[in-house]
Amino acid sequence: MSTTQERTAEQDLPYDVFSRACPSRGTLEHVTGRWGALTLGALYQGSFRFNELRRRVDGVSEKMLAQTLHALERDGLVHREAQPTNPPRVDYELTALGREVAGRLLALIECVEGRMDEVLASRERYDERRTPTA
Amino acid sequence: MSTTQERTAEQDLPYDVFSRACPSRGTLEHVTGRWGALTLGALYQGSFRFNELRRRVDGVSEKMLAQTLHALERDGLVHREAQPTNPPRVDYELTALGREVAGRLLALIECVEGRMDEVLASRERYDERRTPTA
DNA sequence: CAGAATCCCAACTGATACTG
DNA sequence: CAGTATCAGTTGGGATTCTG
């Protein structure tokens, strides 16, 4: 083990997502994953029931939404409020922490959406360049 | 077209990532995907060669890094500068667009990293609650 | 060094069906 | 309504090998 601690002079946060073993990687994936991101984005608008969310997040399956909500709840980003009525009613909403994270996420999403024209144009150029002219 | 435009009072961007068919979803996934996010984050620090990036993004395989860089280059977020020398030298850096996106992404990453203690605490509480006391 | 190509397993994902 | 359980198809992703 001659591994010298190659500190890359970034910052001194206790967690470093660039490191393979950091737990923040897992959370980041829950947040940025396909359904995690959209779910957080949807919940930024308010409180919703399970099937309301399913409709808002177009294309998500029951299974994936449940799984996503579990992960986000476990990470403390989403609060699950279940009423023991019949039929059952369960509401999901962001926690304070979740709202913070979702805010940054929304900023990112809006940034990407706002620049999609550039992205699409770039793609065309890229594909053209590679297309065999023959 | 009897579909009533349920405008959820969001904004009038031409792209809506919440919609299944929107191309912004794909780009968002390139950006937020496991390796996409870390790669953009790493490139925010400067220009790097292929293997330098591999070292910075701990755990990424050659294949995934190449694949990730292709997608980001195609989307116009990363610029690839290849010098026809021998041995070859290729540098990757963010485009102006890429820098913008990466900036928001970094804000998100730092937010998550800075709150990991809360996340970890939440996880413990959650797991405890579910653990059969038996 | 910078990558492309191949192989292959594991994980993600989506229907479907079922339960409280 | 709010999920869980199961199964099958697709993709993700790592290790290895090969090329310019």
Side-chain angles (χ1 to χ4, degrees):
Chain A
M1 330 271 151
S2 53
T3 52
T4 36
Q5 283 275 10
E6 268 223 45
R7 278 230 140 285
T8 28
E10 243 111 61
Q11 66 268 316
D12 293 323
L13 284 173
Y15 300 101
D16 175 19
V17 77
F18 290 99
S19 180
R20 203 194 312 235
C22 188
S24 66
R25 250 197 208 187
T27 300
L28 189 67
E29 277 168 43
H30 297 156
V31 171
T32 62
R34 173 162 16 170
W35 302 123
L38 298 177
T39 302
L40 286 176
L43 284 172
Y44 198 72
Q45 245 70 42
S47 175
F48 295 102
R49 303 176 62 173
F50 189 84
N51 281 305
E52 286 177 334
L53 272 177
R54 257 200 90 188
R55 261 168 271 130
R56 292 201 143 228
V57 180
D58 191 26
V60 70
S61 67
E62 287 185 9
K63 181 182 170 185
M64 292 322 300
L65 182 57
Q67 189 174 302
T68 300
L69 286 170
H70 280 320
L72 294 178
E73 189 196 354
R74 190 169 102 100
D75 285 352
L77 302 173
V78 164
H79 175 68
R80 180 177 185 277
E81 185 78 32
Q83 287 162 41
T85 60
N86 192 315
R89 178 191 176 100
V90 181
D91 288 273
Y92 292 92
E93 61 186 339
L94 295 182
T95 62
L97 179 54
R99 225 175 332 274
E100 265 198 60
V101 171
R104 318 277 168 118
L105 184 64
L106 260 284
L108 175 63
I109 290 179
E110 280 164 23
C111 177
V112 169
E113 285 188 347
R115 309 297 221 104
M116 273 312 287
D117 287 333
E118 289 178 55
V119 170
L120 261 24
S122 170
R123 282 191 191 170
E124 278 186 44
R125 265 178 278 121
Y126 183 93
D127 293 343
E128 212 166 90
R129 218 177 305 138
R130 312 203 117 211
T131 303
T133 338
Chain B
M1 311 277 166
S2 55
T3 51
T4 34
Q5 284 276 11
E6 264 222 47
R7 281 231 141 284
T8 28
E10 245 113 62
Q11 64 269 313
D12 294 324
L13 285 173
Y15 300 100
D16 175 21
V17 77
F18 290 99
S19 181
R20 201 192 315 233
C22 188
S24 66
R25 254 199 204 183
T27 300
L28 190 67
E29 276 167 43
H30 298 156
V31 170
T32 63
R34 170 160 17 169
W35 302 122
L38 297 178
T39 301
L40 286 176
L43 284 173
Y44 198 71
Q45 245 69 42
S47 176
F48 295 101
R49 303 175 63 175
F50 189 83
N51 281 305
E52 285 177 334
L53 272 177
R54 259 201 88 187
R55 261 168 272 131
R56 291 202 143 228
V57 181
D58 190 25
V60 71
S61 67
E62 287 186 9
K63 180 184 171 184
M64 291 322 299
L65 182 55
Q67 189 173 302
T68 300
L69 286 169
H70 278 322
L72 294 178
E73 189 196 352
R74 191 169 101 101
D75 285 351
L77 302 173
V78 165
H79 174 68
R80 180 177 184 277
E81 184 79 33
Q83 287 163 41
T85 61
N86 192 314
R89 177 189 176 102
V90 181
D91 288 272
Y92 292 92
E93 60 185 340
L94 295 181
T95 62
L97 179 54
R99 225 175 335 272
E100 266 198 60
V101 172
R104 318 278 169 117
L105 184 64
L106 260 284
L108 174 63
I109 290 179
E110 281 163 22
C111 176
V112 170
E113 285 187 347
R115 310 297 221 105
M116 272 311 289
D117 287 333
E118 289 178 55
V119 170
L120 261 24
S122 171
R123 282 191 192 171
E124 277 187 44
R125 265 178 279 123
Y126 183 93
D127 293 343
E128 213 166 88
R129 218 177 304 140
R130 312 203 119 211
T131 304
T133 337

